Amino acid sequence: MSTADTRRTAVRAPSGSLNFGELLERSATIATSLGNRDIGPGDLVAVKMPRDLDLLPTLLGVLRSGAAYLPIDIADPPRRTEAVVADAGAALVIVEDSVPDAAAVTPAELLAAPAAAPAPVVTADDLAYVIYTSGSTGAPKGVEVPHRCAAALFAAMDDHVAAQPGDVWLSLTSPAFDISVFEFFWTLGKGMTVELADTSGGALFSTALASDDHDITHVQATPTLLGGLLLDPATRRGLSRVRHVTSTGEALPSELGRELRALLPDAFINAYGPTETTIWSTVEHIGESVPDPMVIGRELAGQTVHLLDDMGQPVPPGSTGELVIAGCGVTNGYRGRPDLTTDRFFPDPSGPDGSVMYRTGDLGYHLDDGRLVCVGRADRQVKVRGHRIELDEVEAVLGELPGVEAAGVVARSAPTTTLAAFVVIADADAAPDAIRAQLAERLPAPAVPARIEIVAELPRSTSGKLDRRQLEDRLGDERSRDGAV
Ligand code: AMP
């Protein structure tokens, strides 16, 4: 790196900024400190930090130590964080504020002049990060992503996102979502500035985009958040001045796509992919004629999406099948859970020896020109404000609460996805608010149902199975009666 390069701004954060030289120096110090604590390749370091100045030096420091990082959303309840850290077997937890815990350390402690440690030898097969997602069995599961998968995705995205040194990427994403990996590291690799939006206090985005002379060139967000940006005249104006927008994380409604397309001067993409196949697997460049139904486009270089039926056979052209993804993005599966891994990751008969493909649970079909349309899910996974939630996990956690005899959880998708829980309780005095408070201690906020209703019994089929269709019908009935649930 030349002196001019090291002086360029790498990170702008709520409490200050760092140039590339400072970022590299701080991350090297953190890596050395971790090395001195015997942390290196094969280890996992949990990072629970706000999106502020220390975050990127810390994540980069963990990677430079040879260890992988486990990002934890600071908004998650402590109980869930503890469960995830224990399940993952993290060697260390890095937290912003000092805590009286031998297994936790702050960035300030790591930055305090360490003695030199030998440089680690990191291979492409070493893990880069582990990200926990909602698990249908009742507990979150950690997806293990090796460096080779992230590197392949970064290279493939060079064909889809144009960037140059000095461009500014507005980072809105929690480090606990895998799309943050792209917005933190692909960007820095291009010499871009990462502007960490101040999302403290519940703000959805920093005031940066609302300012008339902002210099932000790239924005990536869920459709829900992009829709929010359109509502405010100032951020709407600000968005119209960026060069590139990525919509990702959940289905982009065609109507919103049209509104965005009319506003945006230049590149606008819809990127699709599960955490299990490393951030994204397909991309659609949305041109002047916005597809309706929306398409998720074509595979990224090195990846293949098969459309398979229940028997694992390709569906006829134009028919709907499950998206099964093969190629360089397929990760190692779920940490410490070979049972869950073999359930979703299968040998790939057309790939090299030992290669596997991933069954996404998403359903879709090919257009005549080969582009893909994703029509929804084959299971009970939903997205609430971009958060991936297995309704079965919410049901299982509800079922474990004291006094809860049975529970059914369903989702309502319009106008936005919200959850409703129907609960049978032993203690007639237990109020929905008390149940909500207990759920909030155990689940991320978006997984806590907006509506909790105590019922005498749950509808069951003749075989005694919970009849969720009837619960969904109740939501539908009320919607037609009230206009909204
Ligand atoms: P996550 O692992 O949290 O990234 O969630 C992945 C899931 O989100 C996918 O399996 C899809 O169900 C959904 N998803 C992500 N991006 C898109 C998109 N562009 N269009 C439709 N669904 C999407």
Side-chain angles (χ1 to χ4, degrees):
M1 237 185 200
S2 69
T3 313
D5 287 336
T6 55
R7 288 201 184 129
R8 190 180 300 122
T9 306
V11 184
R12 291 200 305 230
S15 68
S17 61
L18 293 174
N19 64 32
F20 275 89
E22 292 163 330
L23 173 66
L24 289 175
E25 202 182 306
R26 287 192 190 195
S27 57
T29 307
I30 288 173
T32 306
S33 269
L34 291 171
N36 287 334
R37 290 166 188 256
D38 276 340
I39 287 174
D43 290 321
L44 186 62
V45 176
V47 177
K48 185 170 188 175
M49 287 172 54
R51 292 159 33 82
D52 209 336
L53 204 58
D54 287 333
L55 179 64
L56 286 177
T58 302
L59 296 179
L60 198 54
V62 173
L63 292 174
R64 293 180 79 181
S65 79
Y69 71 85
L70 165 67
I72 305 279
D73 198 319
I74 51 165
D76 277 356
R79 201 170 168 143
R80 187 174 180 91
T81 300
E82 280 158 25
V84 164
V85 169
D87 183 78
L92 186 72
V93 185
I94 306 179
V95 289
E96 187 65 47
D97 298 316
S98 161
V99 283
D101 182 341
V105 62
T106 65
E109 288 169 280
L110 292 172
L111 283 165
V121 179
V122 185
T123 73
D125 287 329
D126 282 320
L127 295 185
Y129 60 91
V130 175
I131 283 190
Y132 271 71
T133 72
S134 182
S136 55
T137 52
K141 52 190 195 278
V143 181
E144 294 190 323
V145 186
H147 283 275
R148 76 181 132 74
C149 291
L153 183 272
F154 283 13
M157 288 306 289
D158 287 350
D159 295 341
H160 299 280
V161 188
Q164 58 197 35
D167 283 351
V168 179
W169 187 291
L170 180 65
S171 161
L172 298 161
T173 315
S174 156
F177 286 124
D178 69 342
I179 56 174
S180 68
V181 176
F182 188 77
E183 67 184 31
F184 292 161
F185 299 118
W186 181 86
T187 47
L188 291 173
K190 298 285 174 220
M192 295 175 84
T193 300
V194 178
E195 167 137 0
L196 293 171
D198 185 356
T199 49
S200 59
L204 287 183
F205 40 84
S206 69
T207 49
L209 204 57
S211 135
D212 274 341
D213 54 359
H214 79 68
D215 60 355
I216 294 157
T217 52
H218 293 64
V219 171
Q220 158 175 289
T222 58
T224 309
L225 184 47
L226 289 171
L229 293 175
L230 292 184
L231 291 178
D232 177 329
T235 49
R236 187 184 175 96
R237 214 170 33 249
L239 195 60
S240 74
R241 292 183 27 239
V242 307
R243 271 209 336 263
H244 173 99
V245 170
T246 301
S247 171
T248 184
E250 59 191 5
L252 169 66
S254 292
E255 202 183 321
L256 177 61
R258 277 193 290 274
E259 207 181 334
L260 284 162
R261 177 69 275 171
L263 184 76
L264 298 174
D266 211 337
F268 174 30
I269 63 173
N270 177 22
Y272 157 91
T275 306
E276 285 84 342
T277 57
T278 316
I279 312 179
W280 297 307
S281 295
T282 71
V283 164
E284 168 71 4
H285 288 255
I286 300 179
E288 270 176 28
S289 124
V290 176
D292 192 358
M294 181 51 67
V295 300
I296 56 169
R298 298 177 203 280
E299 292 102 326
L300 294 173
Q303 303 202 46
T304 308
V305 179
H306 302 284
L307 289 179
L308 304 184
D309 64 17
D310 290 348
M311 310 298 288
Q313 295 303 309
V315 297
S319 304
T320 297
E322 180 173 3
L323 278 71
V324 177
I325 300 174
C328 56
V330 181
T331 57
N332 292 5
Y334 304 114
R335 189 170 182 82
R337 294 304 303 264
D339 52 336
L340 298 180
T341 303
T342 48
D343 188 44
R344 305 300 287 222
F345 292 79
F346 289 92
D348 177 4
S350 48
D353 269 3
S355 57
V356 286
M357 44 192 192
Y358 170 70
R359 205 156 58 79
T360 63
D362 289 314
L363 298 173
Y365 61 88
H366 276 122
L367 297 175
D368 288 345
D369 64 10
R371 289 179 304 157
L372 278 158
V373 176
C374 179
V375 295
R377 300 276 316 167
D379 56 16
R380 297 203 339 115
Q381 184 189 111
V382 296
K383 285 279 176 129
V384 177
R385 302 193 296 278
H387 291 252
R388 173 168 155 181
I389 294 164
E390 297 283 355
L391 296 179
D392 292 343
E393 179 178 358
V394 185
E395 246 170 44
V397 172
L398 259 171
E400 284 163 12
L401 296 184
V404 170
E405 291 188 338
V409 178
V410 289
R412 173 171 73 83
S413 59
T416 52
T417 305
T418 49
L419 310 187
F422 296 86
V423 188
V424 181
I425 48 169
D427 172 4
D429 291 336
D433 281 352
I435 293 178
R436 179 170 291 112
Q438 292 181 74
L439 284 181
E441 285 172 9
R442 293 162 171 82
L443 291 170
V448 177
R451 165 179 169 171
I452 297 176
E453 193 177 313
I454 309 294
V455 292
E457 57 180 357
L458 291 171
R460 306 233 167 236
S461 65
T462 41
S463 62
K465 271 182 71 176
L466 177 61
D467 186 348
R468 295 193 182 89
R469 185 58 59 79
Q470 278 200 46
L471 293 178
E472 284 161 4
D473 287 348
R474 283 192 203 176
L475 299 183
D477 288 350
E478 290 178 35
R479 195 157 55 244
S480 51
R481 203 180 57 225
D482 306 338
V485 176

